[in-house]
């Protein structure tokens, strides 16, 4: 069995809460690696990131790594396995739709490249940005989307347009063959079943935070 | 009973999934309001945003608004009630810790102000940004946090620093009396129970998206 097949099989069984926690562990063990730490136990991780140790051990059991009794996991291997498993080591080409305040910021965010997201082009409708580059990334007119995507080899469309254009650009992206939509607008875009939609509305998170704050008062 | 008390009572009973959906409805009905539409039914909302109509009706029953048979909800009232209920109309003062790529972008994002978040100051350690302003917002040295917070009247600390400083700045913010932490790093910060923590790790969302993409292939 190839590595890819093995990872895909493990992913099939993976509960989403586990998947959401794995990046937390990665963030922490990366710090340990940078600090020169060689081994870490699930108890230590638990203490640092406030998650139950038995849950961590169970989550990590989905990975191709075994901890040693009384020593724990080898930090370098754990970082490697987590990055690999989470897809952060494979480069995923993406296009940014809307290079205004948020879209432009995401292009500037070098952190995304560390997590495997390679933004290869931006698209907008504003004359003052079309034809320019941002961090070396060309910005095209949205009307060229179809034609440009034919050669860009992008699988992900990142949507950072005003909400009243969210569905419209989603439809354009799907029509052009994009396989996943990362939606930063608070609008609930719809797409055919075989297209992955990931919603990241930071404003909705604000509502949850305000609500929790209200309860504390 | 005052309006605030009434809203707080309703919030107590509110399930979090409902709370997460309310901003979606708001995003959609705002579009209708801009387009001059006067009434909308839960069936129409359901069709547009891909959520079950009965669930929408149930979610909206937590608000102080009633739909009319065969006509639906008055759009302007629905926008007003949703904004009010979600806390988007109250200005919440916040400080931005770390004004690098992501933090700087969030300061630029005028969308946040529309959702009630007023960033009143930024803090950083880099000499080239400390002492400057960004969109009219002053950037101070992190060593001045305590002193500045005494007069800024901020309740929220937004954390956009490198992950190895996330816990450190959280501790500083809590010590200075901040009541809520909006954490944009992938590090799981911890804080005393009476401090609200809202985690928005966009990189963790990437992992979930990659995983779903793998399953589709």
């Amino acid at each position: 069995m190839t590595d890819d097949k093995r990872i895909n099989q493990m992913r099939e069984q993976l509960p989403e809460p586990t998947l959401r926690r794995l990046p937390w562990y990665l963030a922490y063990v990366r710090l340990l690696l940078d600090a020169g730490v060689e081994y870490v136990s699930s108890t230590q991780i638990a203490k640092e990131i406030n998650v139950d140790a038995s849950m961590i051990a169970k989550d990590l059991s989905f990975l191709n790594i075994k901890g040693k009794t009384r020593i724990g996991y080898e930090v370098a291997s754990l970082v490697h396995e987590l990055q690999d498993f989470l897809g952060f080591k494979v480069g995923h080409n993406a296009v940014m739709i809307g290079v205004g305040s948020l879209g432009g910021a995401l292009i500037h965010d070098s952190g995304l490249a560390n997590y495997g997201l390679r933004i290869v082009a931006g698209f907008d409708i504003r004359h003052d940005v079309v034809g320019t580059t941002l961090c070396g990334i060309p910005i095209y007119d949205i009307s060229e989307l179809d034609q440009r995507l034919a050669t860009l080899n992008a699988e992900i469309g990142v949507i950072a347009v005003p909400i009243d254009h969210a569905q419209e650009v989603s439809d354009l992206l799907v029509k052009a063959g994009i396989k996943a939509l990362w939606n930063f607008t608070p609008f609930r875009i719809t797409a055919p079943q075989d297209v992955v939609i990931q919603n990241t509305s930071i404003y909705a998170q604000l509502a949850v935070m305000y609500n929790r704050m209200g309860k504390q008062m």
Side-chain angles (χ1 to χ4, degrees), chain A residues 86-94 115-119 153 155-156:
Chain A
L86 292 169
F88 292 159
K89 293 177 86 175
V90 180
H92 299 264
N93 282 0
Y115 290 87
L117 194 82
R118 199 190 298 131
I119 299 172
N153 197 23
E155 22 174 15
I156 298 168

Side-chain angles (χ1 to χ4, degrees), chain A residues 49-161:
Chain A
I49 67 169
N50 216 12
V51 172
D52 196 63
S54 60
M55 187 182 273
I56 294 176
K58 188 154 179 265
D59 286 347
L60 293 180
S61 72
F62 286 98
L63 302 181
N64 190 27
I65 191 167
K66 291 276 163 289
K68 289 179 194 164
T69 320
R70 274 193 298 273
I71 298 179
Y73 303 92
E74 204 204 342
V75 170
S77 309
L78 193 50
V79 168
H80 173 87
E81 281 292 325
L82 280 166
Q83 286 183 326
D84 201 26
F85 188 79
L86 292 169
F88 292 159
K89 293 177 86 175
V90 180
H92 299 264
N93 282 0
V95 290
M96 174 66 63
I97 315 298
V99 292
S101 157
L102 186 60
L106 291 169
I107 288 179
H108 275 103
D109 185 2
S110 51
L112 289 172
N114 288 335
Y115 290 87
L117 194 82
R118 199 190 298 131
I119 299 172
V120 293
F123 291 86
D124 209 298
I125 51 167
R126 291 169 300 140
H127 297 303
D128 55 329
V129 292
V130 168
T132 66
T133 62
L134 202 54
C135 303
I137 289 158
I139 312 300
Y140 301 120
D141 193 283
I142 189 79
S143 66
E144 299 174 31
L145 188 67
D146 238 36
Q147 170 205 338
R148 297 287 181 184
L149 278 176
T151 56
L152 284 171
N153 197 23
E155 22 174 15
I156 298 168
V158 188
I159 301 170
V161 296

